[in-house]
């Protein structure tokens, strides 16, 4: 039955050759093989008697090769099946979204751009090499331009693509290549070669970022793979701007028609590098929203763009891929790596190299709250807080909470969430009760009902010790942050990194604070803004409630 089904699928695939619906027929038949025949044969390899196991294994291999005709992941698996050093097997978890969207962009008319960033050794370049070879299996009339920072690198990519195409297993997936034997190439130069029976001037063009591409065209894909030459160029704004200018002025025009796809892949080196510039350009056209299929993936609302940014350590401080680096190794590397390099290269969340006036090593920290010689607390039994409400959907509600010894202020807790205010009323009141907050300053330029609402909620709980004052700000945020940065660094103390989880409210607040730059655009400034709000309104007491003062009535003649 399995053998008959396999033969039927072969016939079904070939039936689409002259059909106007050829693409869908071929995709559907390979999907059927993946969903039904592969699991059936794989199960029988394990559960059948010995005399049939080898036959089922042979059928499994043939089905895997067949599925690889239109499934990049299965093609990758089949080609690596007999390799001792497999790339995909150990990295499937992080490469799965890249494979999925490369597969999708191959057949989609709408999807045009993929921007993918991974830590070093994640396998992105190997994946792109297999994708390129796979494209030629789908059509010998595709042309691809692949670029990188050096001639040696692109030459290596070019050779690797040719090696895959001449592999006998490639002919198992794409039988039409059997007619060419070990030489399917009409021309075979390292940087510029052409497949036999192809209608394009060149099938594959490999060129460095400094090479000449004028007059060359790609009708299927342009691949920009590792355009920045490592850490030595990370902070060189001139190089980043030069690459971007080449993209807008020349490279984008190497497409041959509207069907050409653009793949940008690499490691993040700077907020200014070409990967980030392309992301900014695409998001300006259509908003990027989190994918409902994969973590670390964003899709544009108009369906034209996909952004993949896979960190080395996830939100729980665990490795995203043991084959790249174990959790213990990654944490040790983080402890000895420059914060700029760690954020960019390993976390794919680039921060500016300069202008970080709130960098963690410039802040004061406390392991424990101070105590007196007799062991009693040397800090207040009450807390003070400010609340910076959201103005836009991308902003965080930020509420730093501090205790004081009368001289310095210890941030013991914080609310830092990208949620609507209506979802946080209960949490705000709970924090007031938990930390015995006696004074809360709300910066509220749009809604004057928040104070009234919180006062009522506190009254309902029998809490009368918290004085809430509202602050209407007339000073621009950037000016307030700049004018009060020194006081924040001097008088506010924060927990060390070892005392909070990166994905906690405290961790996200500290990341937002420590990566804020005066020299580069910031995605948001909620942490430094609320931190300096605490400085101006509580530490400097500019918003302190007026207290009644006794007067001598006789001096007034009363």
């Amino acid at each position: 039955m399995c053998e008959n089904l396999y033969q039927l699928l072969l016939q079904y695939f070939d039936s689409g050759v002259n059909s106007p619906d050829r693409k869908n027929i071929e995709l559907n038949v390979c999907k059927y093989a993946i969903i039904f025949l592969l699991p059936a044969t794989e199960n029988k390899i394990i559960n059948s008697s010995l005399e049939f196991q080898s036959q089922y294994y042979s059928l499994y291999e043939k089905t895997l090769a067949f599925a690889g005709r239109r499934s990049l992941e299965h093609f990758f698996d089949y080609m690596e099946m007999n390799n001792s050093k497999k790339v995909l097997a150990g990295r499937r978890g992080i490469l799965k979204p890249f494979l999925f969207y490369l597969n999708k962009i191959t057949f989609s008319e709408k999807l045009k751009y993929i921007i993918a960033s991974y830590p070093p050794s994640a396998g992105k370049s190997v994946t792109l090499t297999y994708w390129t070879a796979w494209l030629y299996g789908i059509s010998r009339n595709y042309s691809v331009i692949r670029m990188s920072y050096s001639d040696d690198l692109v030459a290596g990519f070019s050779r690797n693509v040719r090696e895959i195409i001449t592999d006998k297993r490639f002919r198992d997936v794409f039988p039409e290549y059997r007619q060419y034997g070990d030489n399917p190439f009409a021309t075979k130069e390292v940087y510029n070669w052409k497949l036999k029976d192809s209608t394009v001037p060149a099938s594959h063009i490999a060129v460095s970022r400094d090479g000449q591409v004028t007059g060359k065209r790609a009708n299927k894909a342009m691949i920009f793979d590792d355009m920045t030459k490592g850490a030595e160029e990370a902070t060189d704004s001139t190089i980043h701007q030069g690459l971007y200018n080449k993209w807008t002025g020349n490279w984008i025009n190497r497409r041959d028609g509207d069907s050409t796809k653009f793949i940008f892949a690499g490691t993040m080196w700077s907020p200014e590098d070409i990967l980030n510039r392309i992301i900014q350009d695409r998001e300006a056209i259509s908003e990027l929203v989190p994918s409902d299929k994969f973590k670390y993936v964003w899709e544009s609302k108009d369906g034209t763009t996909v952004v993949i940014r896979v960190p080395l350590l996830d939100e729980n401080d665990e490795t995203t891929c043991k084959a790249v680096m174990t959790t213990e190794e990654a944490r040790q590397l983080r402890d000895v790596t420059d914060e700029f390099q760690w954020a960019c290269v390993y976390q794919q969340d680039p921060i500016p190299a300069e202008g970080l006036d709130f960098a963690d090593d410039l802040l004061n920290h406390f392991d424990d709250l101070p105590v007196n010689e007799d062991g009693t607390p040397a800090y207040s039994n009450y807390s003070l807080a400010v609340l910076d409400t959201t103005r836009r959907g991308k902003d965080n509600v930020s509420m730093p909470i501090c205790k004081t010894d009368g001289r310095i202020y210890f941030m013991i807790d914080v609310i830092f969430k990208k949620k609507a205010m209506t979802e946080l009323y209960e949490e705000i009141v709970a924090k007031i009760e938990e930390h015995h907050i006696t004074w809360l300053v709300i910066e509220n330029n749009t809604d004057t009902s928040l104070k009234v609402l919180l006062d009522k909620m506190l009254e309902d709980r029998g809490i009368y010790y918290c004085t809430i004052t509202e602050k209407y700000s007339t000073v621009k945020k950037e000016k307030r942050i700049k004018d009060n940065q020194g006081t924040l660094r001097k008088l506010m103390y924060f927990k060390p990194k070892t005392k909070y989880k990166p994905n906690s409210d405290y961790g996200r607040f500290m990341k937002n604070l420590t990566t804020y730059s005066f020299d580069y655009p910031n995605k948001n400034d909620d942490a430094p803004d609320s931190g300096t709000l605490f400085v101006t309104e509580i530490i400097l007491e500019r918003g302190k409630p007026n207290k009644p003062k006794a007067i001598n009535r006789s001096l007034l003649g009363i």
Side-chain angles (χ1 to χ4, degrees):
M1 183 193 70
C2 287
E3 181 66 41
N4 287 340
L5 178 56
Y6 173 71
Q7 295 298 330
L8 185 62
L9 292 177
L10 289 177
Q11 295 176 35
Y12 184 23
F13 188 93
D14 291 338
S15 71
V17 172
N18 298 314
S19 169
D21 197 31
R22 176 177 181 176
K23 181 177 73 173
N24 288 329
I25 289 174
E26 293 173 350
L27 288 171
N28 286 336
V29 70
C30 288
K31 183 177 180 181
Y32 194 93
I34 293 166
I35 294 174
F36 295 103
L37 190 53
L38 271 178
T41 53
E42 191 173 20
N43 177 268
K44 284 295 183 179
I45 293 171
I46 301 170
N47 297 319
S48 65
S49 58
L50 288 175
E51 60 180 307
F52 293 113
Q53 282 182 353
S54 62
Q55 295 179 56
Y56 275 116
Y57 184 80
S58 175
L59 185 53
Y60 172 80
E61 268 199 305
K62 290 192 295 183
T63 306
L64 186 62
F66 176 76
R69 293 186 184 184
R70 293 299 179 270
S71 169
L72 175 60
E73 182 178 356
H74 291 83
F75 170 74
F76 203 158
D77 273 327
Y78 183 75
M79 296 303 297
E80 285 201 318
M81 208 167 183
N82 294 332
N83 288 358
S84 58
K85 294 182 179 180
K86 294 179 174 63
V87 173
L88 182 55
R91 295 166 173 81
R92 193 181 306 273
I94 58 172
L95 290 177
K96 185 84 172 180
F98 198 21
L99 291 164
F100 176 86
Y101 288 105
L102 285 172
N103 211 123
K104 182 175 180 177
I105 204 171
T106 303
F107 303 105
S108 171
E109 294 181 4
K110 184 178 288 187
L111 184 57
K112 298 289 186 182
Y113 287 78
I114 296 176
I115 303 99
S117 62
Y118 283 88
S121 302
K124 56 165 181 55
S125 293
V126 175
T127 300
L128 287 169
T129 297
Y130 274 99
W131 180 60
T132 306
W134 180 71
L135 289 177
Y136 296 127
I138 295 171
S139 174
R140 289 191 297 275
N141 296 321
Y142 285 157
S143 55
V144 175
I145 294 176
R146 188 163 183 178
M147 303 184 72
S148 190
Y149 68 79
S150 76
D151 288 328
D152 289 343
L153 205 55
V154 292
F157 294 151
S158 182
R159 293 189 189 96
N160 291 339
V161 173
R162 288 202 321 233
E163 286 174 5
I164 294 170
I165 294 174
T166 53
D167 192 317
K168 291 181 180 180
R169 295 182 72 82
F170 186 83
R171 291 167 239 168
D172 295 338
V173 182
F174 301 107
E176 59 269 30
Y177 274 78
R178 289 172 181 161
Q179 62 184 303
Y180 306 119
D182 293 332
N183 185 24
F185 305 102
T187 61
K188 206 173 179 181
E189 297 176 18
V190 173
Y191 297 100
N192 190 330
W193 48 263
K194 179 181 176 178
L195 291 165
K196 289 178 179 177
D197 298 327
S198 174
T199 60
V200 296
S203 300
H204 190 274
I205 300 164
V207 60
S208 73
R209 69 187 189 190
D210 299 319
Q212 183 59 255
V213 291
T214 303
K216 298 172 183 176
R217 290 283 189 271
N219 67 16
K220 187 57 184 178
M222 290 195 67
I223 302 172
F224 303 89
D225 186 4
D226 281 327
M227 299 298 284
T228 302
K229 191 180 178 181
E232 62 194 86
E233 294 182 349
T235 59
D236 194 326
S237 298
T238 303
I239 288 179
H240 296 314
Q241 185 61 45
L243 292 174
Y244 181 73
N245 290 343
K246 287 182 178 181
W247 157 251
T248 58
N250 187 4
W251 295 340
I252 192 173
N253 298 316
R254 298 306 97 209
R255 59 186 173 186
D256 188 4
D258 294 336
S259 61
T260 306
K261 313 296 184 178
F262 298 101
I263 314 297
F264 293 84
T267 295
M268 294 284 186
W269 289 102
S270 162
E272 299 178 284
D273 71 13
I274 193 166
L275 293 177
N276 280 289
R277 293 294 297 272
I278 299 300
I279 292 172
Q280 291 167 16
D281 289 349
R282 300 308 300 169
E283 188 164 24
I285 296 171
S286 180
E287 182 184 354
L288 293 169
V289 296
S291 167
D292 57 5
K293 295 182 181 67
F294 301 102
K295 288 177 67 175
Y296 314 123
V297 175
W298 292 260
E299 299 179 5
S300 64
K301 286 186 174 180
D302 66 0
T304 62
T305 308
V306 167
V307 175
I308 304 169
R309 302 171 79 158
V310 178
L312 180 58
L313 288 175
D314 66 13
E315 62 274 14
N316 297 312
D317 216 28
E318 300 290 331
T319 184
T320 54
C321 183
K322 292 181 181 179
V324 175
M325 202 174 294
T326 66
T327 295
E328 183 179 3
E329 290 170 335
R331 290 175 181 174
Q332 290 172 350
L333 179 63
R334 178 184 60 193
D335 293 341
V336 297
T337 302
D338 172 76
E339 187 173 7
F340 164 75
Q341 187 176 8
W342 173 258
C344 297
V345 179
Y346 296 102
Q347 292 301 96
Q348 311 310 302
D349 190 14
I351 62 174
E354 300 173 352
L356 299 179
D357 291 79
F358 301 110
D360 199 66
D361 57 355
L362 298 179
L363 299 176
N364 289 309
H365 299 89
F366 69 97
D367 287 310
D368 298 294
L369 291 171
V371 294
N372 297 312
E373 291 184 2
D374 59 2
T376 57
Y379 54 89
S380 58
N381 61 356
Y382 59 87
S383 300
L384 307 165
V386 296
L387 176 60
D388 188 10
T389 56
T390 56
R391 299 169 185 82
R392 301 171 300 168
K394 293 183 179 180
D395 288 341
N396 294 277
V397 173
S398 184
M399 181 178 162
I401 303 166
C402 297
K403 287 188 177 293
T404 181
D405 64 359
R407 183 179 61 88
I408 57 179
Y409 295 79
F410 308 92
M411 196 178 94
I412 57 170
D413 201 356
V414 66
I415 294 174
F416 197 75
K417 286 183 169 67
K418 237 175 230 183
K419 288 186 176 182
M421 283 301 306
T422 52
E423 299 178 58
L424 294 173
Y425 295 151
E426 290 292 340
E427 185 171 356
I428 292 169
V429 171
K431 292 293 185 185
I432 291 173
E433 185 171 15
E434 177 187 356
H435 297 295
H436 198 81
I437 297 173
T438 57
W439 185 15
L440 171 65
V441 178
I442 301 175
E443 180 173 65
N444 204 350
N445 293 350
T446 57
D447 182 8
T448 58
S449 64
L450 181 57
K451 172 183 174 347
V452 175
L453 177 64
L454 292 177
D455 278 334
K456 180 66 169 61
M457 292 178 71
L458 291 171
E459 183 180 343
D460 291 344
R461 294 196 183 194
I463 298 174
Y464 300 100
Y465 51 74
C466 182
T467 298
I468 300 178
T469 58
E470 287 189 310
K471 163 69 177 177
Y472 183 89
S473 179
T474 57
V475 179
K476 288 186 177 181
K477 292 190 296 181
E478 293 80 4
K479 179 172 173 48
R480 178 167 69 194
I481 295 170
K482 186 164 285 189
D483 290 348
N484 294 281
Q485 56 175 308
T487 306
L488 186 149
R489 288 196 301 267
K490 183 178 181 180
L491 297 183
M492 289 189 72
Y493 280 60
F494 303 90
K495 295 179 182 180
K497 291 180 180 179
T498 54
K499 293 294 184 74
Y500 56 81
K501 295 286 186 183
N503 199 40
S504 64
D505 283 33
Y506 206 106
R508 281 183 275 108
F509 177 94
M510 293 304 295
K511 180 178 179 181
N512 188 258
L513 176 65
T514 56
T515 58
Y516 179 83
S517 170
F518 289 111
D519 297 339
Y520 295 87
N522 299 277
K523 291 179 181 178
N524 56 59
D525 52 12
D526 306 313
D529 187 32
S530 59
T532 51
L533 176 66
F534 191 95
V535 169
T536 60
E537 302 306 313
I538 290 185
I539 296 180
L540 301 179
E541 297 190 339
R542 292 179 186 172
K544 190 170 183 177
N546 292 326
K547 292 184 179 180
K549 295 181 180 179
I551 61 170
N552 187 337
R553 297 176 64 189
S554 63
L555 295 177
L556 299 176
I558 301 174

